[in-house]
């Protein structure tokens, strides 16, 4: 009410248009009366007023939020919509210096980073807070001197709410040690906020240089990420998540897990993230993208002479026929030793698969693909040609020495036709 009174006076002096908006959280029996009280005051002072409301308790249950979190989300959504309807340039809220100090303490209790410890920003987008440096006591004195009517929220004394506990139990104890604790906390928050703004600017510059946003995935070079100071690297990871899914906030432990994934010697790995996202490492690339519903791959297919099979997931079509192995085979021909009754199966790689390679001996397919730096998510899409229960070839990589036909031998030929993607 003090803020409304001040804005009403300023609007008369400066000539700007003023609209009031009040939100009923429906958490208290008297909340409807409170909203009507605001409407009547606005009518007496010729100020347009809009009332909104929402079932905060139901929202909190449905989304797994605290009542305070749900109330804030619904309240600001209403204020933004009301401002749009009014054609407003700014949304002024009545947060004060005490609120700011309490917010800093709240974030300390939750283990917040600099962004939270910066307290309540004086401006965020079109939201402005004209009273942020004014103490609650000064506001109450102003209201009394100017006979500004107001109503007390009966839940303000309920210390079951963490903010109320800090306000009524903790802050009085701190004032005993430092009567100016509110201003001290405000100055601290302002200093930390400036540090955060500096780091945010540096992060934006690094993001422009290092991050790649491709459709629904954001990626960064692991070596580039590891070369950044940890404070910048953690912010870059948050920016990657927001680039893929705006509004997503990664908890500190998830950003730390991503950073550890980038710092390990392993060539691949995955971390589950908030907002339905996942972070994946594939050699020197760290990617944030939506979680996969299932691992990629394709169903195994049989292939006999005279048959043709298509594997759209791998972008290939394979045709099989019998013939005599030529002196020089084409680049897309696989000539394999086979008996009349031999069976060919085209399938994805399986655990334990091995292949005998010329001059390299027997090698596990998993290790071979790692050495060739094939991304983990693409390995299941590479067709393996199994001949009579043994790996005879891996498309695009090579063939088994023991299964490869020699010129002049009767053999099975598999023609590979690659599809445009």
């Amino acid at each position: 009410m003090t803020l409304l009174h001040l804005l009403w006076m300023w609007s008369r002096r400066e000539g700007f248009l003023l609209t009031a908006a009040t939100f009923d959280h429906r958490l208290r029996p008297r909340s409807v009366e409170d909203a009507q009280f605001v409407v009547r005051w606005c009518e007496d002072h010729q100020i347009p007023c809009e009332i909104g409301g929402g079932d905060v308790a139901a929202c909190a249950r449905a989304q797994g939020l605290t009542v305070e979190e749900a109330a804030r989300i619904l309240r600001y959504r209403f204020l933004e919509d009301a401002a749009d309807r009014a054609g407003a340039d700014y949304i002024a809220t009545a947060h004060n210096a005490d609120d700011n100090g309490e917010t800093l303490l709240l974030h300390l209790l939750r283990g917040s980073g600099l962004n939270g410890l910066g307290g309540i920003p004086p401006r965020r987008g079109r939201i402005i807070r004209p009273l942020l440096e004014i103490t609650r006591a000064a506001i109450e004195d102003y209201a009394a001197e100017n006979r500004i009517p107001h109503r007390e929220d009966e839940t303000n004394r309920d210390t079951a709410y963490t903010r109320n506990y800090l306000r009524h139990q903790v802050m009085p104890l701190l004032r005993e040690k430092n009567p100016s604790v509110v201003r001290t906390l405000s100055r601290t928050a302002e200093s930390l906020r400036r540090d955060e703004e500096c780091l945010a600017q540096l992060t934006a510059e690094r993001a422009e240089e290092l991050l790649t946003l491709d459709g629904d995935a954001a990626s960064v070079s692991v070596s580039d990420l590891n070369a950044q100071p940890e404070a910048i690297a953690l912010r870059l990871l948050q920016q990657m998540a927001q680039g893929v899914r705006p509004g997503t906030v990664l908890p500190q432990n998830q950003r730390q897990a991503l950073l550890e994934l980038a710092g390990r010697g392993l060539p691949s790995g995955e971390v589950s993230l908030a907002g339905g996202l996942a972070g994946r490492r594939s050699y020197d690339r760290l990617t944030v993208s939506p979680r996969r519903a299932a691992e990629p791959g394709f169903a195994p297919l049989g292939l006999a002479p005279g048959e043709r099979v298509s594997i759209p997931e791998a972008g290939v079509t394979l045709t099989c026929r019998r013939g005599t192995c030529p002196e020089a085979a084409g680049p897309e021909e696989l000539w394999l030793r086979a008996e009349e009754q031999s069976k060919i199966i085209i399938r994805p790689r399986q655990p334990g698969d091995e292949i005998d390679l010329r001059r390299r001996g027997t090698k596990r397919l998993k290790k071979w693909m790692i050495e060739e730096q094939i991304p983990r998510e693409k390995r299941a899409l590479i067709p393996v040609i199994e001949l009579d229960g043994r790996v005879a070839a891996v498309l695009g990589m090579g063939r088994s020495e023991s299964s490869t036909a020699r010129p002049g031998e009767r053999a099975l030929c598999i023609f590979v036709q690659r599809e445009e993607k």
Side-chain angles (χ1 to χ4, degrees):
M1 291 303 298
T2 294
L3 176 65
L4 184 56
H5 183 269
L6 285 166
L7 289 173
W8 170 67
M9 291 200 308
W10 292 339
S11 69
R12 296 170 67 194
R13 186 179 67 200
E14 303 295 336
F16 61 82
L17 299 178
L18 176 66
T19 296
T22 184
F23 186 79
D24 181 1
H25 300 87
R26 299 175 186 168
L27 294 171
R28 301 175 289 111
R30 297 176 57 198
S31 62
V32 174
E33 298 174 19
D34 293 344
Q36 290 302 322
F37 165 81
V38 175
V39 170
R40 287 192 298 271
W41 195 92
C42 288
E43 288 175 347
D44 291 341
H45 294 78
Q46 292 81 52
I47 301 171
C49 183
E50 182 171 345
I51 297 179
D55 192 337
V56 170
C59 175
R61 289 193 299 271
Q63 298 188 31
L65 303 171
T66 65
V67 170
E68 295 99 319
E69 289 170 336
R72 185 182 186 281
I73 290 171
L74 294 182
R75 178 170 63 251
Y76 276 100
R77 188 180 299 162
F78 160 71
L79 291 177
E80 290 284 355
D81 291 343
D84 288 341
R85 287 188 289 271
D89 297 307
Y90 302 103
I91 301 170
T93 66
H95 293 94
N96 56 58
D98 291 67
D99 294 327
N100 205 13
E102 292 159 7
T103 298
L104 189 154
L105 293 177
L106 275 172
H107 286 298
L108 271 177
L109 287 175
R110 294 168 181 165
S112 173
L114 269 185
N115 195 39
L117 297 181
I120 303 170
R123 179 171 181 176
R124 178 172 55 82
R126 60 176 167 177
I127 297 172
I128 59 174
R129 299 178 170 102
L131 305 181
L132 195 60
E133 295 185 3
I134 311 300
T135 64
R136 186 175 294 120
I139 290 170
E140 291 172 350
D141 289 344
Y142 178 90
E145 290 171 9
N146 291 273
R147 299 181 181 178
I148 301 171
H150 64 278
R151 290 170 66 91
E152 288 287 336
D153 180 342
E154 60 264 31
T155 63
N156 278 351
R157 293 285 169 184
D158 187 352
T159 54
Y161 296 103
T162 307
R163 182 177 290 274
N164 287 346
Y165 175 79
L166 291 173
R167 180 176 299 170
H168 300 298
Q169 302 291 331
V170 177
M171 291 298 286
L173 294 175
L174 294 178
R175 283 193 185 93
E176 290 180 8
K177 295 294 184 181
N178 179 3
S180 301
V181 66
V182 168
R183 296 198 183 281
T184 300
L185 290 173
S186 293
R187 285 196 301 272
T188 300
E190 183 181 357
S191 175
L192 294 174
R193 189 162 55 247
R194 285 197 297 266
D195 290 348
E196 173 60 25
E197 288 170 357
C198 177
L199 287 169
Q201 178 61 36
L202 290 173
T203 301
E205 293 171 4
R206 295 290 190 278
E208 184 72 24
E209 176 187 348
L210 304 177
L211 301 189
T212 299
L213 187 59
D214 184 13
D216 63 350
S219 65
V220 65
S221 161
V222 167
S223 53
D224 284 343
L225 183 67
N226 289 334
Q228 306 305 311
E230 184 171 323
I232 299 294
L234 291 171
R235 286 166 172 79
L236 283 173
L237 295 171
Q238 171 58 39
Q239 198 149 328
M240 289 170 68
Q242 288 189 326
V244 175
R245 191 152 289 168
T248 299
V249 177
L250 296 184
Q252 177 75 9
N253 65 322
Q254 292 183 7
R255 285 182 285 153
Q256 202 69 50
L258 271 178
L259 196 58
E260 290 173 6
L261 180 62
R264 292 180 200 151
L266 299 176
S268 62
E270 184 168 324
V271 174
S272 182
L273 304 173
L277 299 176
R280 302 180 185 90
R281 177 175 178 175
S282 181
Y283 300 101
D284 191 48
R285 207 76 192 161
L286 186 71
T287 301
V288 172
S289 60
R291 279 197 288 269
R292 294 185 291 249
E295 286 295 317
F298 58 92
L301 299 166
L303 181 62
E307 292 184 344
R308 175 187 177 100
V309 297
S310 179
I311 308 173
E313 296 89 344
V316 295
T317 296
L318 306 178
T319 306
C320 182
R321 71 169 176 82
R322 290 191 181 277
T324 301
C325 181
E327 287 289 338
E332 298 293 357
E333 298 177 8
L334 293 174
W335 289 89
L336 304 175
R337 281 183 183 150
E339 306 294 335
E340 287 293 327
Q341 68 274 20
S342 289
K343 292 183 179 180
I344 294 178
I345 295 175
I346 314 299
R347 60 169 176 79
R349 176 182 66 87
Q350 295 176 351
D353 275 345
E354 293 181 335
I355 189 170
D356 59 301
L357 299 172
R358 188 178 183 184
R359 299 193 183 95
R360 299 177 68 180
T362 301
K363 188 174 287 288
R364 285 186 177 271
L365 294 197
K366 179 179 179 180
K367 183 176 181 181
W368 190 22
M369 290 181 176
I370 289 174
E371 290 173 352
E372 295 297 320
Q373 295 197 357
I374 296 172
R376 182 180 181 182
E377 64 272 14
K378 293 185 179 179
R379 295 174 199 164
L381 295 174
I382 298 176
V384 172
I385 298 174
E386 179 185 294
L387 177 64
D388 295 333
R390 299 184 64 185
V391 175
V394 181
L395 285 193
M397 295 186 66
R399 65 198 74 185
S400 160
E401 173 70 10
S402 60
S403 299
T404 300
R406 303 293 183 264
E409 287 183 343
R410 290 291 292 173
L412 283 176
C413 180
I414 297 176
F415 293 91
V416 181
Q417 179 183 351
R418 301 191 182 275
E419 302 169 3
E420 290 289 336
K421 285 196 174 183

